[in-house]
Amino acid sequence: MTTPNELRLLPWSGPEGKPCFLSTDEQGGYMSRLADNVEAVQLGTAAELLEEASETLSDRDVAPDEMRRLAKELSGALRDVLRVATSRGHLLAVVEPHP
């Protein structure tokens, strides 16, 4: 969904954690569909972790190791969701330019 000469931030990192970008004017191409599917999985995982966090935080007997595991998973999910939001926000700015 990029316009010519626009790059799409992909929902995964490259070597050394560097961002990956897609340059294509082909809408609905293989890499665009793959990125869309990965983003959907990442958002679904974040929603599930949020539900788990709500339940875990209401349990006063949660072990510290369980809280650390949950915090680590939430951090990863937040990083993924932020990347999706950044990518989609950029796409919106390209598709719907400000007057």
Side-chain angles (χ1 to χ4, degrees), residues 43-64:
L43 294 174
T45 299
E48 290 171 8
L49 279 170
L50 183 58
E51 187 175 321
E52 180 184 343
S54 295
E55 294 170 5
T56 302
L57 290 171
S58 65
D59 181 359
R60 293 187 179 266
D61 297 325
V62 172

Side-chain angles (χ1 to χ4, degrees), residues 2-68:
T2 58
T3 59
N5 301 323
E6 290 294 328
L7 299 176
R8 175 183 179 173
L9 176 63
L10 293 173
W12 54 80
S13 297
E16 301 174 12
K18 294 182 179 179
C20 291
F21 294 92
L22 174 64
S23 175
T24 182
D25 13 344
E26 179 185 352
Q27 291 185 357
Y30 174 78
M31 289 301 294
S32 292
R33 288 191 323 270
L34 177 62
D36 290 343
N37 290 337
V38 169
E39 286 179 350
V41 168
Q42 290 172 328
L43 294 174
T45 299
E48 290 171 8
L49 279 170
L50 183 58
E51 187 175 321
E52 180 184 343
S54 295
E55 294 170 5
T56 302
L57 290 171
S58 65
D59 181 359
R60 293 187 179 266
D61 297 325
V62 172
D65 287 344
E66 178 64 16
M67 287 298 269
R68 278 192 289 281

Side-chain angles (χ1 to χ4, degrees), residues 57-89:
L57 290 171
S58 65
D59 181 359
R60 293 187 179 266
D61 297 325
V62 172
D65 287 344
E66 178 64 16
M67 287 298 269
R68 278 192 289 281
R69 180 202 59 81
L70 181 59
K72 184 177 180 180
E73 289 183 15
L74 284 168
S75 295
L78 181 58
R79 181 189 59 247
D80 292 343
V81 168
L82 181 58
R83 182 178 287 127
V84 171
T86 300
S87 177
R88 291 185 182 185

